């Protein structure tokens, strides 16, 4: 064991980086459009679409803040090639939300909706993954406005655009539909380990026809 002579510890730590990614010191801010202003009295989180009971489920900010709190460790991989590894995220697990507002059996995908109509589509399996989390905190501290306060989705096993900041709801879908970046040339699935960056790389079954 130990590090091979002549190599730095950085070299041996890289297996956590997906192909084509590089480590980023600090935490840059990346998004399209302005940072929305948080108005607690107008904020609500909605789960709608193909729910098991056919109803829409809503939480105001106070109610959402009272949901079970969990934390996970997960990476952010931006498709522009920087990665942040091993961040600790706190908030509500997507799994817990699925239990609180169950989808109909026919629901196969979700659209995650954020302020200003930003959206991102996910396969139900990615949404229900162990570490998919609606984060309110990072490293034990509340998110800042530019990083998504009061709520952002983190899906550690996919590229970071799959996790909207300023998230406001989830639509359960019985067929796949492209979200904001998925309609604009990015891969429908977005697995960084398979380097699924762009829609031209898609194979049959990866997403709806373009
Ligand atoms: N609402 C919204 N969420 C978004 C985006 C966006 O444009 N709008 N960009 C995504 C992209 S491409 C990345 S890399 C991450 C960046 O998160 P950060 O700014 O906290 O590093 O946010 C994601 N979530
Ligand atoms: Mo990104």
């Amino acid at each position: 064991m130990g590090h091979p002579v002549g190599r730095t510890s950085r070299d041996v730590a890289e297996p956590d980086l997906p192909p084509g990614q590089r480590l980023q010191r600090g935490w840059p801010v990346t998004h399209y459009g302005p940072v929305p202003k948080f108005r607690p009295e107008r904020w609500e989180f909605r789960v709608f679409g193909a729910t098991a009971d056919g109803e829409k489920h809503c939480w105001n900010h106070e109610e959402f803040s009272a949901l079970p709190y969990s934390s996970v460790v997960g990476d952010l991989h931006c498709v522009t090639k920087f990665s942040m590894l091993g961040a600790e995220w706190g908030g509500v697990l997507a799994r817990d939300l699925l239990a609180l507002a169950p989808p109909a059996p026919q629901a196969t995908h979700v659209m995650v909706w954020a302020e200003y109509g930003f959206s991102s589509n996910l396969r139900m399996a990615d949404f229900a993954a162990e570490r998919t989390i609606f984060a309110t905190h990072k490293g034990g501290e509340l998110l800042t406005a530019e990083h998504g306060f009061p709520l952002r989705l983190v899906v550690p096993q996919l590229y970071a655009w799959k996790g909207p900041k300023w998230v406001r709801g989830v639509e359960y879908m019985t067929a796949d539909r492209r979200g904001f970046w998925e309609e604009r040339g990015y891969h429908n699935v977005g697995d960084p380990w398979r380097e699924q960056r762009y829609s031209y790389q898609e194979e049959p079954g990866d997403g709806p026809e373009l």
Side-chain angles (χ1 to χ4, degrees), residues 9-165:
S9 56
R10 273 288 301 280
D11 294 328
V12 275
E14 305 298 298
D16 286 346
L17 276 183
Q21 295 294 110
R22 56 177 181 269
L23 266 186
Q24 175 78 37
R25 306 264 159 232
W27 189 13
V29 172
T30 320
H31 59 264
Y32 175 81
V35 174
K37 187 166 165 47
F38 174 52
R39 293 187 191 84
E41 69 291 350
R42 293 185 50 188
W43 191 95
E44 65 168 9
F45 188 90
R46 303 191 307 150
V47 176
F48 62 103
T51 55
D53 60 8
E55 303 283 324
K56 190 167 91 178
H57 299 250
C58 296
W59 293 264
N60 65 26
H61 190 249
E62 199 184 330
E63 292 163 342
F64 197 91
S65 305
L67 295 181
Y69 183 92
S70 305
S71 53
V72 302
V73 172
D75 307 332
L76 273 193
H77 306 295
C78 177
V79 71
T80 63
K81 301 201 167 176
F82 69 81
S83 290
M84 178 171 76
L85 299 181
E88 191 221 343
W89 305 98
V92 179
L93 294 176
R95 285 195 165 181
D96 288 342
L97 200 74
L98 282 164
L100 290 164
Q106 316 88 270
T108 54
H109 294 78
V110 305
M111 189 72 80
V112 182
W113 289 99
E115 302 285 356
Y116 301 135
F118 184 85
S119 62
S120 155
N121 59 315
L122 297 167
R123 301 179 295 195
M124 189 59 87
D126 283 318
F127 185 68
E130 230 173 342
R131 293 184 302 155
T132 301
I133 188 164
F134 288 92
T136 52
H137 291 70
K138 189 209 150 227
E141 298 196 353
L142 266 187
L143 293 173
T144 57
E146 59 274 20
H147 286 301
F149 178 82
L151 193 65
R152 77 177 295 163
L153 186 67
V154 177
V155 191
Q157 78 273 20
L158 300 180
Y159 282 117
W161 88 76
K162 288 291 188 179
K165 304 195 276 194

